[in-house]
Amino acid sequence: MEEKLRQSLYAYWGWFKRNEALFIAGMIAGLFFAGYWGYLQVLPRAGSDDSALQWDAVYSAIKLFIFNGPDVTQEWPFILQVVRILAPFLLIYTAVKTLWLRAGEHISLFLLRFRYRRFVVVCGIGETGYRLALQYLQCSKKRVVLIDDRPMNPLVAKLNIMGAIALMGDALDGATLARARVASASEVFVFSGDDEKNVAVAKAIHRVVRTKSSSAESTGHVAADRPRLRCHIQVDTGEVAEIFQDHSFFNLIDDRLELRIFNRNVSVARNIMDKCAPDLYYRPASDQDEPMHVLFLGFGPLSQALLIQYALTAHYADFRKPSATVLCDDQCRRAVDRFRQRYTHIDEVLDLTFRFVDPQTLDPQSWKAMLEQQRFQLCYTALEHDVDGILAARRLNRMRNTMGVAPIHFVVCLNQQSWISEVVDDDFLPIEMDKTGLGAAVPIEYFETLDETITIDVVVNDRLDQLAVAIHERYLQGQIDAGTSRADNPSVVTWRYLPLYKKVANQRAAAHLDVKLRIALCRRAQVQAPLPRASFPPNSELMEVLAKVEHQRWCADKRLAGYRYGAVRDDVRFLHPDLKPWGALTESDREKDRALIREIPALLALIGQKVVSEVGVEVAAQGALVEEEAGP
């Protein structure tokens, strides 16, 4: 209730800020005419000619705005009393507002010196930066400072109306960063949309913070326990992010600054594979079932990130390689070649097929031939333009209905970077983990990528990394208990200081945990949920299945990272002795995978969750439904 009230207040305040000039003009006009009408009632009449009286009333009404009304008003009507009080204060408000528009930016920036670590700075106000700044304005008490070099940027104007401090300038300029007081902010988001510029801005921020820290240390005004600034750098190009994954600068964490790379496409793909994972729609239990085969429309950066997440997580109890088919136009051939060069062992992980045909112009005969050749359980639509994605999914589904073919579930990934998203997004239902409610005729879901992913919870609070952090904390505790130090093992550090490539390995392990639970007909729930805790793994047979699945997942991860089999481990040459089938592993190596399965309940306990049976969840849901129907 309190949250709804706050959202309503924000909505009303936003409306007032957007229409403030019109509102003030209307108030002035209303008070003037009310004063004019009031004076017509109280001014003495002189003869039969009322023209002089009307001019006197106009002049007297104007004087009310400058505190120049009469002192004695005993016979005045009530409306004139109200005008006499409100009119001058409205004029004062307008004057102060005008002065604020001229000097407000300087005053607001000056006041930031008293809000140490209680404001954020967003550099570059595109769709990504805009949504994150909007989240802070609506859901946080922190002030928001915007840095943008486009004076006519409408997104900056919207945020400014809602209370953000807009600073026009280039974030590469150290003077602009100093004016925005980035060194005193709690978070800085470098989201210009240009990867190279974002990296350069991060270097500029580092220089500003280092200069201020040196100055503070020289004057003795630095406290050892002061919180550090966290700088989030958007790097969306996969190759660029990979270059900086091991770079010393982007693993920088010192007493004043922590740099963090944010890859929007990877974060969106992880979020989609969490809420719209293939096995939520279909789960092969043995090699007697239809194999998992997913269709991808388009081959842009998001589609590539989705394909990798699919290759990492689509490992089930049938132990077969997952299959994927990509439909993309002929212009994607170069992107396909580069993708295959980057992931040279992709075919060892995934049965991957590319068909160079535009999904928008695929004719019914070709579509029918594809569906007769293989069965697709799911289709991810990740085209560049939202209109194309929506129309392609609806067109292919309509043709499938006409042919009488079994349903294919469509997940349309909306980029939300054009006006169409604002027009149609109110018609899209929220994404639900339970897919049984999807209609057979139109099994289409619309995943609003920015609304679902560009949030404080995901970008700042690492919601997608909760399980990955728990995995590392459990590993860290085990190493400490065994007496291992950082000198013996560089990974014996907290999550914050863990190198980025090791974080990625933990993220990939965490991404498959829910798949394992679903294979065992389980899921996770909050500890306080009124559901009985389930034994996990349920039995020794499932233990072997899950351990074998985990080994298959681990092999896929290593192969996608470029590793191949070698009798002796050599990380320089990307060789690993465990990259072999489950049957060829020693019993001690198999026990490592079993130990990981046994750890799952303890990992969930670290984040306040437990393992529950899917059957128990269904029974509880049915009980709640019966109770609701039998209500008063």
Side-chain angles (χ1 to χ4, degrees), residues 200-426:
V201 170
K203 295 287 288 185
I205 291 172
H206 181 230
R207 286 193 293 269
V208 170
V209 173
R210 184 178 56 190
T211 301
K212 181 165 183 178
S213 297
S214 300
S215 176
E217 289 170 0
S218 64
T219 57
H221 293 128
V222 61
D225 58 346
R226 296 176 80 179
R228 63 170 60 89
L229 165 67
R230 293 198 297 180
C231 180
H232 306 261
I233 310 151
Q234 181 180 353
V235 180
D236 286 342
T237 306
E239 291 86 348
V240 177
E242 187 174 322
I243 290 172
F244 293 128
Q245 188 168 286
D246 301 325
H247 196 283
S248 58
F249 176 68
F250 288 91
N251 284 293
L252 170 68
I253 300 178
D254 59 26
D255 292 338
R256 293 290 170 262
L257 181 64
E258 175 184 347
L259 296 178
R260 307 175 68 181
I261 288 181
F262 175 73
N263 187 308
R264 187 178 66 184
N265 293 318
V266 171
S267 296
V268 169
R270 290 174 62 198
N271 210 5
I272 291 172
M273 283 295 174
D274 179 42
K275 298 180 179 179
C276 299
D279 67 307
L280 289 171
Y281 305 87
Y282 171 74
R283 191 182 313 145
S286 70
D287 57 9
Q288 304 302 312
D289 296 334
E290 286 274 354
M292 179 65 77
H293 200 149
V294 174
L295 179 65
F296 292 81
L297 302 188
F299 199 63
L302 177 55
S303 189
Q304 294 177 36
L306 280 170
L307 191 60
I308 292 301
Q309 288 296 319
Y310 172 64
L312 290 166
T313 57
H315 303 284
Y316 312 114
D318 62 339
F319 305 119
R320 289 174 291 187
K321 282 197 298 184
S323 299
T325 297
V326 179
L327 288 188
C328 55
D329 58 38
D330 203 59
Q331 297 178 352
C332 293
R333 288 184 181 274
R334 184 168 181 270
V336 170
D337 291 339
R338 294 187 63 170
F339 179 82
R340 285 194 173 279
Q341 286 298 319
R342 185 180 175 197
Y343 300 102
T344 54
H345 302 307
I346 185 74
D347 290 316
E348 298 177 37
V349 177
L350 198 64
D351 284 332
L352 182 59
T353 303
F354 287 92
R355 292 178 178 266
F356 294 101
V357 57
D358 187 350
Q360 285 286 85
T361 59
L362 181 66
D363 60 88
Q365 291 75 21
S366 299
W367 179 231
K368 183 178 181 180
M370 284 181 60
L371 296 181
E372 289 175 347
Q373 184 178 352
Q374 63 260 308
R375 165 82 189 279
F376 299 113
Q377 286 82 26
L378 180 64
C379 174
Y380 293 108
T381 303
L383 299 180
E384 181 180 359
H385 301 292
D386 289 343
V387 175
D388 293 343
I390 295 170
L391 292 179
R394 291 181 176 177
R395 178 172 175 270
L396 294 179
N397 184 64
R398 185 169 60 250
M399 290 194 294
R400 178 201 61 79
N401 274 330
T402 303
M403 300 170 192
V405 179
I408 302 172
H409 295 283
F410 288 84
V411 177
V412 181
C413 307
L414 300 173
N415 291 309
Q416 295 188 277
Q417 300 206 29
S418 65
W419 59 268
I420 191 67
S421 61
E422 296 185 4
V423 174
V424 300
D425 66 356
D426 289 340

Side-chain angles (χ1 to χ4, degrees), residues 446-460:
Y446 298 94
F447 194 97
E448 298 170 286
T449 59
L450 298 185
D451 285 348
E452 295 280 355
T453 309
I454 308 304
T455 65
I456 297 173
D457 207 24
V458 172
V459 179
V460 181

Side-chain angles (χ1 to χ4, degrees), residues 123 229 231 296 428 572 600 613:
C123 304
L229 165 67
C231 180
F296 292 81
F428 300 145
V572 175
I600 289 177
S613 169

Side-chain angles (χ1 to χ4, degrees), residues 134-181:
L134 186 63
Q135 273 256 313
Y136 270 102
L137 290 170
Q138 293 180 337
C139 307
S140 172
K141 295 181 181 179
K142 292 183 178 181
R143 293 299 305 272
V144 178
V145 180
L146 315 175
I147 300 179
D148 198 86
D149 56 2
R150 293 165 292 176
M152 302 303 292
N153 187 346
L155 298 179
V156 174
K158 289 181 182 179
L159 295 172
N160 194 16
I161 287 173
M162 297 186 68
I165 304 170
L167 182 59
M168 290 297 109
D170 190 347
L172 285 170
D173 184 6
T176 301
L177 295 173
R179 285 180 62 203
R181 301 191 179 277

